[in-house]
Amino acid sequence: MGFFNPWKTNQRYIGIWYKEIRPLTAVWVGNRNNPLADFSGHLKLAHNGIMLYNKNANATTTLVWSFPISLSVKNPTLQLLDSGNLVLRLDHDPNPNGFIWESFDHPLDTWLPGMKLGWNVTEHSNKYLTSWRTHMDPGTGEFRISIDPPEAPQLVIYRRNLLKYRWGPWNGDRFSGCNDLTNNSLFNLVYESNDEEVYYLLEVGDNSTISRFWATPWGSMAYQTWKNDKGWSTEVKIQGDFCDLYGICGPYAKCNHVDDVPKCQCLEGFVPRSPVNWSKFEWSEGCERRWELSYGNGDGFVRYKGLKLPDYSRVSKKVLSMEGCRNECLRDSACIAYTHVNVHGNGDECLVWFDSLIDIRDSSNHGNEIYIRMARDELGERRAEDIWALLVQLGFVSEVGVAATVFEFMIGSIMFEVFMMLIGWLLFGESMAVALITCKYSVGCLKDSMKHSISVYFILIEQFKDVVVVNPFFRGDVAEILAYHVWMSASEVIAREEDREHKKVAFFVVVAVAALLLAFGMIAWYGPSRSSENSRGGTSLLS
């Protein structure tokens, strides 16, 4: 400890540096923003704090820098510990940790082993790192690295008070979306949370190794070890890339790298707020829901996996299971997402979100899962895709849209469609049933049909002009005529009904009965002996 001139400049500072390392590496600077211009400065230890004075040309002294203390003490002692912590204590105090003041409570750009970063909750004070202005100027730089906020700790990097990068919140093992600070053989982050403090304590695996976390003047954070023959060696570097830029994709969108090229994508169930700007790679406006929430009328949650959790999370004050967390969020119409993580190291806690979900990125290896509130209509479409995937898996249909089982061959396509319609109606709602029978095997058609059908709970009747009728007993022209009559009958019945519930019932009754009559009528008409005239899978499109 003493006075030093960084890089042989004329400015002098009071600071702490490594004794055996050259060139000089300062870990703490007292008068970082008030350097001395000459050698006339002197440090004074008084009953009310630490003072740095400068003697002017006229022999008067000027206070350049000080660290006042709240208590007036007699016979104070200033001591530099082997850890690099400069402490002020009472002379002959038997308590080894009875510090009145310590430099570890006022970190600059260096996080040393044994030093805490985080919050004193009772005093609402925060210990964070601030970079040097340049590598030759220890003045306060542009970047600040902090743990913020204490309720759901995140690792954040500010530039000129603007949030530039964010990782988190803490999930008990790492900051969500950041694998670099996971405990390893080099260092260990000890997380502590109580009524008075929320902080991280740096511990190292080998105390004989000189090491530090350093907030660089360029906005990164590096864990370095000293190697006598090579100097400082960077073992871990935390530096945000394009996808880590705060809010780069706007709300409800995630950033990922496609073929090493960063790109923003809307979360599934969301669409660009401005398609024109989105196509120009202007992503800041983000995305919006395809269907607005109805709050209590069939809303549910969809799980998204492998994501850096969004900003503005809150920890529920209640101790809840995953199911309890879901129910709590569902009851609150303002709650739009939840998840379950080990924030404070005392078991899984419920994290909830009430604001737009922003600053999300794909992080399959280092991310978390989150459950986002979705409208009933969106859930219905997702169920359609789940049903389709299940049918393919069970072998009822193939990916190319061709009947693939003896089951369909035996009962015919019309019967199969009626069967699927009824199952879809009973298990997943009427809109699903309509999408299944109308779109048959096309997932794309299912999506398009659902967009039209959900708002009125059944597919607009014009969609039936595009019904595909497949049956081994049907000739194409007869099937086309009969399918058209089914469509006309359904149209007439629905047109006469004014009540929405009656419309739904009439629609399904007409379609189901007409389809059954078609199937049995055509079997009786053509008979088994004539079925060989038609090839399996013949289709006809109504125009």
Side-chain angles (χ1 to χ4, degrees):
M1 177 184 173
F3 290 97
F4 71 97
N5 299 69
W7 295 89
K8 298 181 180 180
T9 63
N10 294 326
Q11 296 178 326
R12 288 173 58 78
Y13 300 86
I14 183 74
I16 303 169
W17 58 86
Y18 293 101
K19 183 178 180 181
E20 304 296 335
I21 292 179
R22 293 293 181 271
L24 182 146
T25 303
V27 299
W28 183 82
V29 180
N31 58 322
R32 68 181 308 182
N33 293 314
N34 298 284
L36 299 170
D38 51 37
F39 291 84
S40 63
H42 65 277
L43 190 67
K44 181 179 180 181
L45 183 60
H47 64 88
N48 58 343
I50 307 170
M51 316 291 178
L52 177 63
Y53 291 95
N54 184 33
K55 184 177 291 187
N56 300 323
N58 57 5
T60 60
T61 58
T62 303
L63 180 64
V64 177
W65 164 84
S66 68
F67 261 119
I69 56 178
S70 57
L71 299 176
S72 179
V73 296
K74 294 181 179 180
N75 301 320
T77 298
L78 193 63
Q79 180 182 6
L80 179 61
L81 305 181
D82 291 339
S83 62
N85 191 14
L86 180 65
V87 299
L88 181 66
R89 61 184 355 157
L90 294 176
D91 192 18
H92 305 300
D93 188 346
N95 183 4
N97 296 317
F99 307 143
I100 302 172
W101 176 92
E102 56 182 310
S103 62
F104 271 18
D105 283 343
H106 307 275
L108 298 187
D109 70 330
T110 304
W111 187 12
L112 295 173
M115 183 185 291
K116 299 176 183 178
L117 286 186
W119 288 80
N120 184 314
V121 179
T122 56
E123 298 178 1
H124 201 69
S125 60
N126 187 13
K127 302 173 187 176
Y128 52 84
L129 302 179
T130 52
S131 68
W132 283 23
R133 191 171 292 128
T134 69
H135 69 286
M136 295 187 297
D137 184 354
T140 302
E142 293 185 340
F143 296 96
R144 171 164 56 94
I145 300 177
S146 176
I147 306 298
D148 194 29
E151 295 80 13
Q154 304 180 125
L155 178 65
V156 294
I157 299 180
Y158 288 89
R159 183 178 187 182
R160 301 195 192 104
N161 295 322
L162 294 178
L163 184 54
K164 186 174 183 180
Y165 303 119
R166 179 197 67 90
W167 297 274
W170 180 258
N171 63 15
D173 177 55
R174 62 172 66 90
F175 292 99
S176 180
C178 178
N179 196 43
D180 297 316
L181 284 182
T182 303
N183 294 335
N184 51 58
S185 60
L186 295 174
F187 62 83
N188 183 33
L189 296 184
V190 179
Y191 177 69
E192 180 64 34
S193 174
N194 53 51
D195 293 338
E196 296 182 354
E197 292 182 297
V198 176
Y199 64 84
Y200 293 84
L201 177 70
L202 177 62
E203 292 183 346
V204 294
D206 183 3
N207 290 323
S208 65
T209 301
I210 298 175
S211 61
R212 64 172 182 167
F213 265 110
W214 175 44
T216 73
W218 310 281
S220 62
M221 184 177 180
Y223 180 76
Q224 298 181 317
T225 59
W226 177 259
K227 301 184 184 301
N228 292 326
D229 56 338
K230 297 180 180 179
W232 287 108
S233 173
T234 299
E235 311 293 345
V236 175
K237 190 173 185 179
I238 303 170
Q239 182 173 11
D241 57 22
F242 176 86
C243 280
D244 284 318
L245 289 172
Y246 183 79
I248 189 66
C249 294
Y252 302 112
K254 63 180 180 179
C255 185
N256 60 17
H257 285 84
V258 180
D259 297 329
D260 295 327
V261 177
K263 182 180 181 181
C264 291
Q265 295 177 325
C266 291
L267 295 176
E268 191 171 355
F270 297 83
V271 294
R273 187 179 297 274
S274 174
V276 174
N277 290 341
W278 198 268
S279 65
K280 299 177 181 177
F281 305 106
E282 297 174 5
W283 297 310
S284 59
E285 294 178 76
C287 304
E288 60 187 3
R289 297 179 181 274
R290 282 190 291 190
W291 289 289
E292 289 301 321
L293 298 173
S294 53
Y295 298 107
N297 187 21
D299 288 350
F301 293 93
V302 173
R303 184 177 71 165
Y304 297 79
K305 298 187 296 183
L307 297 178
K308 180 180 80 171
L309 294 176
D311 199 7
Y312 301 115
S313 61
R314 303 183 193 177
V315 180
S316 174
K317 296 181 180 179
K318 300 179 181 179
V319 179
L320 300 169
S321 63
M322 177 66 86
E323 184 64 22
C325 188
R326 177 191 181 278
N327 294 335
E328 185 77 10
C329 188
L330 192 60
R331 282 193 292 267
D332 190 340
S333 61
C335 181
I336 59 174
Y338 75 92
T339 191
H340 219 222
V341 295
N342 188 17
V343 177
H344 293 114
N346 52 4
D348 285 348
E349 294 174 279
C350 182
L351 277 182
V352 292
W353 283 262
F354 295 93
D355 299 298
S356 296
L357 305 181
I358 194 169
D359 195 38
I360 306 171
R361 72 168 294 170
D362 251 339
S363 185
S364 57
N365 295 327
H366 323 309
N368 296 84
E369 65 180 22
I370 183 173
Y371 294 81
I372 300 178
R373 192 179 197 131
M374 305 298 284
R376 174 185 177 183
D377 303 342
E378 176 65 28
L379 299 176
E381 178 170 317
R382 285 174 172 267
R383 287 169 183 158
E385 296 187 5
D386 291 342
I387 292 174
W388 170 252
L390 179 61
L391 292 176
V392 172
Q393 183 178 0
L394 295 177
F396 283 113
V397 294
S398 68
E399 288 288 0
V400 294
V402 180
T405 64
V406 177
F407 175 77
E408 185 180 354
F409 178 79
M410 292 175 62
I411 66 173
S413 176
I414 292 293
M415 292 292 292
F416 179 72
E417 290 176 358
V418 172
F419 170 76
M420 287 310 304
M421 182 191 71
L422 294 176
I423 292 298
W425 190 12
L426 290 173
L427 296 181
F428 302 101
E430 56 275 4
S431 58
M432 180 58 56
V434 178
L436 283 170
I437 189 173
T438 305
C439 296
K440 199 168 176 59
Y441 311 119
S442 169
V443 174
C445 176
L446 280 173
K447 289 183 178 180
D448 294 338
S449 296
M450 292 292 284
K451 290 179 182 179
H452 294 291
S453 66
I454 292 297
S455 61
V456 292
Y457 293 91
F458 57 87
I459 296 177
L460 296 175
I461 199 61
E462 285 76 12
Q463 295 290 320
F464 275 82
K465 295 180 181 179
D466 296 323
V467 170
V468 178
V469 180
V470 181
N471 193 281
F473 304 109
F474 287 4
R475 273 210 326 248
D477 53 346
V478 176
E480 182 173 334
I481 294 171
L482 292 176
Y484 179 78
H485 282 291
V486 172
W487 167 66
M488 290 298 296
S489 299
S491 299
E492 292 174 359
V493 173
I494 293 173
R496 290 197 300 267
E497 297 292 341
E498 296 181 354
D499 183 78
R500 178 179 293 176
E501 295 299 323
H502 290 173
K503 286 183 178 182
K504 291 189 287 183
V505 173
F507 175 82
F508 286 106
V509 169
V510 169
V511 173
V513 172
L516 287 171
L517 290 177
L518 278 171
F520 288 112
M522 293 308 297
I523 292 173
W525 181 15
Y526 274 79
S529 62
R530 302 188 61 179
S531 63
S532 61
E533 297 177 6
N534 298 282
S535 62
R536 174 166 174 77
T539 62
S540 175
L541 294 178
L542 292 176
S543 58

